[in-house]
Amino acid sequence: SVAGTEKFHSAMVPHVGSSTARWREVVELGRCLGAISEVVGSRVTQPAVAVIHDTDARWGNELSDHPSVDVDVIAETRRWHAALLARGVTSDIRRSVDDLSAYSLVVVPVQYLITREAIDNLTRYVEGGGAIVVTYFSGIVDEDDHLHAGAYPGAFAELLGVSMEEFSPLMADEQVELTRFGRGRVFSEHGTVTTAEAIASYASGPTAGSPAVTRRQVGPGAAYSVGPSLSPGGLAELLN
């Protein structure tokens, strides 16, 4: 790269070209790998889980004037990735408009900005038998940073079967009790279910009684919503 944040990253082919020590080291590594008979011909198993990460959604989330400065796309994505990996479950990072039909589970962590094309794609995935988990502060605005009108979570409200009236962000050191999955941090919401069932509710705080984790059966598929950021133990319980 001759521009941007990676212009000083020499990578496998430095700016000076292939007549370099770095390039020779890479070629030698390739020769060594090709000589390891135990791994020649190995294939990596296709992960059954995809974690959605759209760069535009991350950029949108990092804009100012949002309900909470503690909503962090990267941090929440890493929590889910770590919880999956702790169970021996590998995952792919995919875009919301990609073909997701090969996956049995799709996790959508804090995808604040999402297009109608993406919502239609994710809806088809669930209708085809997939399971989707959508976290807090997802589906709020379109590609122009304009709100998806109606109940929160905006573009996901119909698919998830929930109707949230108001956000209730939590303070940095604040936690709320849930009826299942331990405690929640960062975010909570006041609202109700429409076509989903609540499998956990807020048991304390300003949104006590509102659904915290929900599930909606969509034909052979299922759509889950997760209102707060769950602890590692809570994530483990939900994933199990």
Side-chain angles (χ1 to χ4, degrees), residues 56-73 110-113 137-138 140-142 144-147 152 167-169 186-187:
D56 286 354
R58 176 171 61 84
W59 287 342
N61 178 250
E62 292 171 352
L63 295 173
S64 61
D65 306 317
H66 285 181
S68 171
V69 296
D70 294 322
V71 173
D72 187 328
V73 179
V110 193
Q111 293 299 282
Y112 160 78
L113 181 153
F137 213 51
S138 293
I140 308 303
V141 299
D142 64 14
D144 297 316
D145 198 34
H146 294 173
L147 283 170
Y152 298 125
F167 299 139
S168 186
V186 182
F187 220 72

Side-chain angles (χ1 to χ4, degrees), residues 73-150:
V73 179
I74 301 299
E76 190 65 28
T77 300
R78 285 174 171 163
R79 289 187 192 105
W80 284 89
H81 181 269
L84 289 162
L85 200 58
R87 263 137 210 86
V89 178
T90 56
S91 55
D92 284 337
I93 300 294
R94 301 301 299 267
R95 299 179 306 154
S96 59
V97 294
D98 288 346
D99 179 4
L100 303 168
S101 58
Y103 301 97
S104 58
L105 171 65
V106 170
V107 179
V108 184
V110 193
Q111 293 299 282
Y112 160 78
L113 181 153
I114 200 156
T115 65
R116 176 49 56 186
E117 178 188 4
I119 288 294
D120 291 344
N121 183 51
L122 294 169
T123 300
R124 286 193 298 271
Y125 164 77
V126 177
E127 291 173 343
I132 192 171
V133 181
V134 181
T135 79
Y136 59 95
F137 213 51
S138 293
I140 308 303
V141 299
D142 64 14
E143 62 268 35
D144 297 316
D145 198 34
H146 294 173
L147 283 170
H148 288 288

Side-chain angles (χ1 to χ4, degrees), residues 28-42:
E28 175 61 14
L29 175 61
R31 188 196 66 76
C32 292
L33 292 175
I36 302 175
S37 60
E38 291 86 350
V39 299
V40 171
S42 297

